[in-house]
């Protein structure tokens, strides 16, 4: 136990938490006024009788372990009892919710309740009544299956999103407490976790966002951006490659305000981690440039945890990994420290045994009055934090109007008026170019007008054409810059961008690799889609058109695979106007990620393409028919739209009435009203031919039973692009022949 | 330079290479006889006048670096000159091939030529005239873009697959020398690499396979399985999460015969690795339980490389990472050590400058006679290795007929007669069960009869139901066992299984996770498909039917995404017979990987399902129509086939002629003859309804313009499974209503 006897009047809160004094735990209805934005500079309330005491432990850096220390204040006995009670409240809320649902994961919340309590009650700076307050500390539960920990903490802290009835409807239809944390369901949850390793990588993105904004906007007289990012991750997250990728970058970037708690409980689903996970995690993180601390008693060593956080905060040039050794299912006499407590309800008998063991006399879901009262201060305190910050920002705005406007755009998500005028436009006379190059023109145009626009590539910047020419590299010592260098770490890159996007609504991160390597980052891309993170995926080398690198590098099924994924826009622009159109939509759709599949090879600027057409997903590029009755409709995307156009020219020479349709984004076309769709693809015209240098899977929906889809349903080949196109029959001749066959 | 002066008669070859003496470099046509299988026990030829000398360096373990050492023999001056010449031959073959193709990556072959030379000329045991000889050492170029290194080495070593004309048609249509190494194109290439990180993970699989077979089949008097696995990987591979996953396992498993060369050249595509990769790789690998050696001069430090390999071989309980510091594009005076030499032809001028710099007077693609002659011994030597092994195996077969038959099945790929009789069958009276449980019955039945059957799960064995009950865990000290414990490392798992599958044709590895987490391992799965590795992917929790875990865990687009992927069979069995049918095909199709999407929830054993029907991909389960003219065809897969059957019962009660079709594997149905397809889905019957608890993307191909596809085109939800099915309209009522609408 962490309690200590000697008393002082020093507030413990002042040690672990932000500048504002914390309101006393005994005060259930503080009579304070909270001025709104642009109000006073400091709050009007004062510290009350919270007591803490120094004790006698030391931080043993040599052993990278921490014990309660003379440098750390501890609570007096009464407070310690209350902390323990609060921690058990968290444990039992988790136990009871899982028991009622008869589904869920009680083990992690029971083991991690102490660190959870300390973070939300003593350390973190947040406003429960405005979960979106910009300068809040961010918390990510990377081990998302333990979500009852977070729901219990949000509930105690006073978030409106998690009421008692929400806890009681854990994992039920329509509840705010789904089986894994979902930011789009539960305000207070920053990112969507569950798929392991994503959360820690999101946290790297959140910490990067903070470091970037702080460097850009803080002034010698005003620290307007200043928060920590905390994360709890488990053995599963540690084993996933994505976490290694993201943590290697976090070390490289020196993200000193990222503090990760590794719940070292030695149990994974298949049993003891000894069976598959025996690496020295601490040594690995030291090799990655992290500061590493080991808390040996995570179950009851409150002061060790507190000291570790203090130490972590003192290390400003490195992220910190606090390895906290815990017992999964702590408190359960028969199931603790075993797999059985990981992912199933304890069962009535074991719940009873756990109640007895931890001395918990209450009925399910009970919140003891003193615990409730203790936590009740966070509403007032959080409002005060925001108020103070708002006042600070008002001052900042007066002194630094330009910077304030940029920062405001980032934290409100309001795009600067007229930003879209920056988008380049093209005519058929403009030079032929690869869409990857046209993309770069757009990226550079947008970065000038959008304050939250930043991104980079997974070591392919010079191939993906993603460098922002007016900015330098975001690096440890130049975090104000906007070119991110992800190295060859696609999965980490995607998840880091999710973190950036969800940090503030005005962040518009983009990231890039070869289109085929979306296979490496699909886990993160799906979470962009699910969690409504409007990341822009710049995916070049989008077909056999990349040529000699061969089938390992040539996407075939990737377009289809993303067209099937919900809430993601799959663009395949044909030229400059369509590339600009894709970017316009991508920037506007902040809750839907976009993928741009771009060519390596040069493409002509086509007549009839437009930004407006692109926004409709499918539109007529050229047509010599009348009465909405063409003889045949030729449909192309990306680099094959040119082929469709050429085939149409041929057919028209032979007297045919031919419509050419660009199908640049299927999802946008699906959103159009029926009459628009009919105007592009009239039901009566069944003579349709599509051409796309990719799998034909899914094209039947567009070309219909009587149409024909030209594509590639096997793997590609290594050869010059022109040769492969010819050998695979992706040619105007093939389109002409098919058109004659179907019409 | 690594040459040394004092001479001895000790053959250097004997230090670094296998038991057979190497034939002298000056002997261009050895007059040796090579008995065939079951012939003599040892070869008839003897060592000739190869000379080597000890020199005076020491292995500096403290610094984890290696220098030419007293413990290492070096070549005499003449030999050293020849080695240098051979190394430059490799460099210029790469330079010339890339120059002729005007496409490719010269930088790595130029930098890694020394280690390549030492491996293929001095260290590795192989038979160029039989690239598939079972007991060969395996080599993997994980940095696959440097494939000209491997092609040059295969050419020098005498592999028929890479002739001079193949080098001259590098990266051209139909050549044996594609832009990245492809095992299915080029005998001598073990696995398909290029997508970074895959190769090192494949190598872990290859080394695992060796360790497993050695433990199972070696006897005190006979080491019948005994080879090393060598791999060259670069910075890119090191950054990828997949390599961390696989290397963590390699350390855990203690794969002592895995020796990896890390080409530490400090250059990645975006420039110096300083911009994104500053972790301490050596320290990381030590944390992973590897032995780490640093060769500081990889450009000309031949003896350092040799000493490192010797040291690596002496460490038997750990894999070894030899960090070899090299200069990318070594020899190019103006482009070495820069990105510009990584992925483009040098250009005529720089080629000329490099020729001058390295003193290379020859025309392009020239093989100097002495180099040619030096390498020519490998054909005879390799044949002798195989002959000796064959003789050893003949003895082994006499002494240990049972083990020999098993091993032979593994190295020939011939399945034991009657194996398929082990598959379980079911009747409608058999108990309802989840297909994940039925899968486990199949796995356990197959493991009894298939010697090369082994596998495991990414920490979900108890959820995926993948444990083989009659075997223990493959672990460091129990490598003869067959349950693999991958930890939470899906991507590494898939790539390791590719390595196992491609080690020997009779290996049938399976691996498992939740279906949604194929997103984490898709890179490896695509390479299974491309490289014809018949891995079986056991993917449970295949729909919203998993219930409360919610949308992060519920696959939606995954079936469609794999149906679009070439050369992979996507099965979704409905019950026991279909699960057995899927396994039957999966085992037989050794060159096509299979995915089985399996339910978490209980499903009834349906009337009309069969192993034979499953093998056709789509087949009639029940029908009350006649003349191939049903009123409506209801099509289901997996857990929804039951719903289609129920809807058919309803419709038949109302007098309808209803056919129910199971569409368990689209790819197999596509392979059927037209008349069979017509017998199942007659063109004249356009009233078709499909039901599948997944994206409807692609179903238009089956149900046609007038049909209706019932599915889910958004993300799932967290709630009990029955509730979600009802809310999402995946019900018999919906099928009945749709059937009425379309018929």
């Amino acid at each position: 136990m962490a309690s200590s006897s000697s008393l002082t009047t020093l507030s413990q809160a002042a040690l672990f938490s932000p500048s504002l004094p914390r309101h006393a735990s005994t005060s259930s209805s503080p009579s304070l006024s909270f001025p709104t934005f642009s109000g006073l500079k400091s709050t009007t309330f004062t510290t009350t009788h919270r007591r803490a005491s120094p004790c006698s432990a030391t931080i043993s850096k040599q052993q990278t372990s921490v014990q309660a220390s003379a440098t750390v204040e501890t609570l007096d006995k009464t407070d310690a009892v209350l902390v323990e009670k609060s921690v058990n409240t968290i444990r039992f809320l988790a136990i009871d919710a899982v028991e009622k649902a008869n589904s869920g994961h009680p083990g992690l919340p029971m083991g991690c309740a102490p660190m959870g309590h300390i973070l939300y009650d003593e350390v973190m700076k947040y406003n429960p009544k405005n979960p979106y307050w910009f300068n809040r500390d961010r918390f990510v539960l990377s081990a998302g299956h333990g979500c009852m920990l977070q729901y219990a903490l949000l509930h105690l802290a006073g978030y409106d999103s998690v009421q008692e009835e929400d806890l009681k409807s854990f994992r039920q239809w329509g509840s705010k407490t789904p089986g894994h944390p979902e930011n789009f369901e539960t305000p207070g949850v920053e990112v969507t976790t569950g798929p392991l390793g994503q959360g820690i990588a999101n946290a790297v993105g959140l910490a990067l966002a903070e470091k970037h904004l702080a460097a850009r906007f803080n002034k010698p007289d005003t620290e307007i951006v200043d928060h920590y990012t905390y994360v709890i991750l488990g053995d599963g997250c540690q084993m996933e490659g994505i976490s290694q990728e993201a943590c290697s970058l976090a070390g490289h970037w020196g993200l000193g305000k990222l503090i990760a708690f590794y719940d070292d409980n030695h149990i994974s689903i298949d049993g003891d981690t000894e069976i598959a996970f025996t690496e020295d995690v601490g040594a690995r993180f030291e090799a990655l440039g992290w500061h590493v601390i080991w808390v040996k008693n995570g179950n009851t060593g409150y002061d060790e945890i507190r000291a570790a956080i203090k130490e972590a905060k003192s290390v400003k040039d490195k992220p910190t990994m606090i390895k906290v050794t815990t017992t999964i299912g702590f408190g359960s006499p028969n199931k603790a420290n075993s797999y059985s407590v990981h992912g199933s309800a304890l069962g009535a008998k074991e719940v009873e045994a756990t109640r007895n063991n931890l001395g918990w006399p209450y009925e399910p879901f009970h919140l003891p009055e003193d615990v409730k009262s203790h936590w009740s201060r966070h509403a007032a305190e959080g409002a005060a934090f925001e108020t103070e910050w708002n006042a600070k920002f008002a001052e900042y705005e007066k002194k630094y109007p330009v910077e304030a406007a940029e920062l405001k755009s980032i934290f409100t998500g309001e795009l600067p008026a007229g930003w879209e005028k920056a988008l380049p436009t093209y005519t058929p006379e403009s030079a032929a170019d690869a869409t990857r190059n046209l993309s770069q023109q757009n990226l550079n145009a947008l970065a000038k007008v959008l304050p939250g626009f930043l991104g980079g590539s997974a070591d392919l910047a010079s191939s993906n054409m993603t460098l922002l020419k007016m900015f330098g590299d975001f690096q440890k010592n130049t975090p104000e810059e906007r070119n991110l260098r992800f190295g060859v770490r696609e999965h980490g890159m995607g998840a880091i961008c999710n973190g950036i996007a969800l940090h503030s609504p005005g962040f518009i991160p983009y990231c890039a690799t070869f289109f085929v390597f979306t296979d490496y980052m699909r886990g993160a891309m799906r979470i962009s889609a699910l969690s409504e993170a409007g990341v822009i995926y710049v995916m070049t080398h989008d077909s056999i058109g990349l040529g000699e690198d061969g089938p390992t590098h040539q996407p075939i099924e990737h377009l289809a695979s993303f067209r099937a994924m919900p809430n993601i826009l799959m663009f395949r622009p044909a030229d400059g106007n369509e590339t600009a159109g894709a970017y316009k939509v991508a920037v506007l759709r902040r809750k839907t990620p976009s993928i741009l599949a771009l060519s390596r090879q040069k493409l002509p600027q086509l007549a009839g393409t437009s930004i407006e057409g692109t926004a409709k997903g499918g539109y007529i590029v050229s047509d010599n028919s009348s009465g909405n009755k063409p003889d045949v409709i030729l449909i192309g995307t990306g680099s094959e739209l040119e082929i469709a156009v050429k085939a149409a020219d041929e057919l028209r020479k032979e007297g045919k009435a031919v419509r050419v349709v660009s199908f640049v984004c299927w999802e946008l076309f699906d959103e159009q009203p029926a009459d628009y769709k009919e105007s592009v693809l009239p039901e009566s015209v069944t003579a349709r031919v599509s051409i796309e240098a990719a799998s034909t899977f899914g094209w039947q929906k567009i070309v219909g039973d009587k149409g024909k889809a030209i594509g590639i349903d096997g793997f590609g080949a290594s050869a010059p692009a022109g040769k492969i196109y010819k050998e695979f029959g992706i040619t105007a001749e093939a389109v002409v022949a098919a058109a004659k066959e179907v019409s």
Side-chain angles (χ1 to χ4, degrees), chain A:
Chain A
M1 277 299 302
S3 66
S4 178
S5 55
S6 65
L7 304 180
T8 80
T9 54
L10 178 62
S11 163
Q12 188 204 352
L15 281 170
F16 295 110
S17 83
S19 53
L20 273 183
R22 285 173 176 257
H23 198 63
S25 61
T26 49
S27 162
S28 57
S29 58
S31 57
L32 303 166
S33 66
F34 296 103
T36 52
F37 183 82
S38 81
L40 83 181
K41 282 187 198 176
S42 64
T43 55
T44 56
F45 62 97
T46 56
T47 313
T48 50
H49 57 285
R50 183 80 174 278
R51 293 168 305 185
S53 67
C55 72
S56 60
T58 56
I59 298 176
S60 163
K61 264 300 294 294
Q62 284 303 87
Q63 297 295 314
T64 62
S65 77
V66 167
Q67 290 163 346
S69 153
T71 62
V72 178
E73 312 304 319
T74 57
L75 302 172
D76 70 14
K77 206 153 184 180
T78 322
D79 281 347
V81 167
L82 188 58
V83 166
E84 187 77 14
K85 199 166 177 182
S86 168
V87 167
N88 281 335
T89 303
I90 296 163
R91 290 192 177 114
F92 280 98
L93 287 177
I95 290 169
D96 295 339
V98 173
E99 201 64 21
K100 182 159 191 299
N102 193 24
S103 172
H105 301 76
L108 183 141
M110 293 166 76
C112 292
M115 57 183 120
H117 169 88
I118 288 171
L119 280 174
Y120 270 81
D121 192 51
E122 300 177 10
V123 173
M124 279 170 57
K125 199 168 156 183
Y126 57 86
N127 179 6
K129 299 306 172 197
N130 177 11
Y132 304 108
W133 169 48
F134 166 70
N135 201 39
R136 70 194 178 275
D137 286 333
R138 268 65 171 179
F139 172 77
V140 174
L141 184 64
S142 190
H145 52 273
C147 55
M148 265 311 305
L149 174 70
Q150 195 169 5
Y151 298 147
L153 290 165
L154 293 174
H155 179 57
L156 286 168
Y159 284 78
D160 295 330
S161 49
V162 187
Q163 309 285 337
E164 187 180 333
E165 56 269 28
D166 299 303
L167 298 176
K168 288 180 174 167
S169 57
F170 179 51
R171 294 188 151 224
Q172 303 308 303
W173 181 263
S175 82
K176 290 279 170 212
T177 48
H180 290 85
E182 294 164 359
N183 60 307
F184 53 96
E185 291 285 6
T186 319
V189 170
E190 302 287 352
V191 296
T192 292
T193 56
L196 294 172
Q198 299 289 336
I200 175 70
N202 296 161
V204 171
L206 292 165
L208 178 157
E210 194 274 346
K211 183 167 174 138
H212 172 70
L213 293 179
R216 253 173 89 180
F217 295 107
N218 285 352
K219 300 287 176 186
D221 65 350
T222 318
E223 211 168 16
I224 197 68
V225 182
D226 170 31
H227 72 75
Y228 285 87
T229 301
Y230 299 96
V231 56
I232 293 179
L233 73 165
D235 293 301
C237 292
Q238 293 285 20
M239 285 187 256
E240 291 285 8
I242 184 177
S243 68
Q244 160 66 20
E245 292 180 8
C247 291
S248 178
L249 282 169
H252 172 75
W253 287 328
L255 301 179
K257 287 162 91 174
L258 172 61
I259 300 177
F261 295 80
Y262 163 33
D263 175 29
D264 169 47
N265 65 27
H266 282 279
I267 297 293
S268 70
I269 292 182
D270 280 351
D272 194 291
T273 51
E274 278 297 311
I275 69 170
F277 188 46
T278 51
E279 63 175 65
D280 181 339
V281 177
R284 172 157 66 93
F285 273 82
E286 278 170 2
L288 300 184
W290 285 55
H291 182 67
V292 178
I293 305 171
W294 184 13
V295 170
K296 291 184 178 173
N297 173 14
N299 294 328
T300 57
Y302 301 108
D303 284 348
E304 294 175 49
I305 296 170
R306 290 173 183 126
I309 296 171
K310 190 175 181 198
E311 180 180 328
K313 287 189 172 184
S314 75
V315 176
K316 298 191 186 303
D317 61 341
K318 292 179 174 186
T320 295
M321 177 68 64
I322 306 173
K323 172 173 147 175
V324 188
T325 299
T326 69
T327 302
I328 190 170
F330 180 85
S332 160
N334 303 302
K335 294 193 168 182
N337 200 30
S338 78
Y339 157 62
S340 62
V341 78
H342 164 80
S344 313
L346 293 179
K349 204 173 143 194
E350 187 64 13
V351 171
E352 200 48 41
T354 308
R355 281 184 202 282
N356 290 336
N357 189 41
L358 293 177
W360 197 252
Y362 308 108
E363 63 192 21
F365 297 101
H366 181 75
L367 224 61
E369 268 312 311
D370 47 355
V371 171
K372 199 170 173 179
S373 160
H374 174 78
W375 281 84
S376 66
R377 76 189 187 285
H378 288 287
E381 222 174 74
F385 288 142
E386 180 166 358
T387 300
E388 190 197 36
W389 187 86
N390 287 345
K392 201 192 235 186
F393 184 75
E395 285 298 306
Y396 182 91
E397 204 168 19
K398 276 181 216 156
K399 283 198 207 166
Y400 311 106
V402 177
E403 290 91 333
E406 288 210 347
L407 180 58
K408 206 167 177 177
S409 168
I410 290 172
F411 72 68
T412 63
E414 277 170 38
L415 302 176
W419 68 272
E420 69 280 3
K421 295 194 189 93
L423 291 168
T425 53
Y426 304 84
T427 69
E429 290 69 43
S430 305
D433 209 345
T435 47
R436 61 172 169 156
N437 292 331
L438 300 162
S439 162
Q440 190 169 36
Q441 294 170 6
N442 280 273
L443 291 172
N444 278 275
L446 290 170
K448 278 184 198 135
V449 294
L450 299 174
F453 201 78
L454 80 177
S457 161
D459 194 43
L460 288 170
S462 53
S463 291
N464 301 140
M465 306 307 292
T466 46
L467 274 187
L468 302 177
K469 293 170 185 174
M470 69 291 266
F471 295 116
D473 287 354
F474 174 95
Q475 293 288 1
K476 189 171 184 171
N477 297 319
T478 52
E480 69 282 6
E481 300 291 351
R482 297 207 227 163
N483 284 302
L484 305 178
R485 302 289 199 164
F486 291 104
V488 193
R489 304 182 182 95
E490 297 83 6
H491 204 178
M493 171 172 75
I496 287 169
C497 285
N498 285 337
I500 298 171
L502 295 174
H503 181 279
S504 293
F507 266 124
I508 308 179
Y510 66 90
C511 64
T513 183
F514 291 162
F515 188 33
V516 78
F517 297 135
T518 51
D519 285 346
Y520 274 54
M521 57 192 301
R522 204 171 158 93
M525 295 176 79
R526 187 177 208 254
I527 290 187
S528 301
L530 176 62
S531 69
E532 301 175 353
V535 176
I536 302 178
Y537 291 95
V538 181
M539 296 290 144
T540 73
H541 295 60
D542 75 339
S543 76
I544 52 165
L546 63 87
E548 291 89 341
D549 273 346
T552 52
H553 285 54
Q554 291 162 352
I556 293 291
E557 69 279 16
H558 300 74
L559 289 167
S561 79
F562 286 110
R563 287 172 184 153
M565 187 183 278
N567 196 43
I568 196 162
L569 299 174
M570 178 70 251
F571 289 95
R572 190 160 184 259
D575 66 1
N577 288 331
E578 289 200 351
T579 304
Y583 274 108
K584 183 175 176 187
V585 177
V587 167
L588 286 170
R589 295 283 282 253
R590 293 291 75 232
K591 295 200 163 192
T592 303
S594 296
I595 311 169
L596 277 69
L598 301 165
S599 77
R600 172 180 189 252
Q601 72 272 31
K602 230 176 233 195
L603 302 176
Q605 308 293 345
L606 298 170
T609 59
S610 69
I611 290 179
E612 298 69 33
T614 302
K616 291 182 172 161
Y619 66 105
I620 299 169
V621 170
S622 75
D623 198 353
N624 65 331
S625 72
S626 58
N628 204 18
K629 285 210 160 186
D631 297 329
V632 64
I633 303 176
L634 306 182
I635 308 162
T637 77
S639 44
E640 288 73 64
L641 187 61
E642 176 193 3
I643 296 177
V645 167
K646 279 185 186 159
D649 288 346
E650 285 304 308
L651 289 163
R652 285 171 191 152
K653 278 182 204 158
E654 298 177 23
K656 296 266 190 185
V658 184
R659 173 176 297 176
V660 178
V661 169
S662 171
F663 234 68
V664 56
C665 180
W666 294 28
E667 298 83 3
L668 291 177
F669 187 76
D670 274 349
E671 291 176 2
Q672 302 308 311
D675 59 344
Y676 177 76
K677 289 184 192 172
E678 174 68 14
S679 76
V680 178
L681 295 179
E683 208 181 331
S684 62
V685 182
T686 58
R688 304 177 186 182
V689 177
S690 70
I691 182 157
E692 186 171 72
S695 169
T696 60
F697 193 85
W699 272 103
Q700 286 83 359
K701 179 180 170 184
I702 313 298
V703 298
D705 292 352
K706 294 184 180 154
K708 193 164 176 192
I710 297 174
I712 304 168
D713 289 317
F715 288 108
S718 173
K723 177 71 176 171
I724 312 178
Y725 265 83
K726 208 179 149 199
E727 291 286 345
F728 282 163
I730 309 298
T731 61
E733 295 72 46
V735 176
V736 169
K740 289 178 180 173
E741 208 178 294
V742 301
S743 63

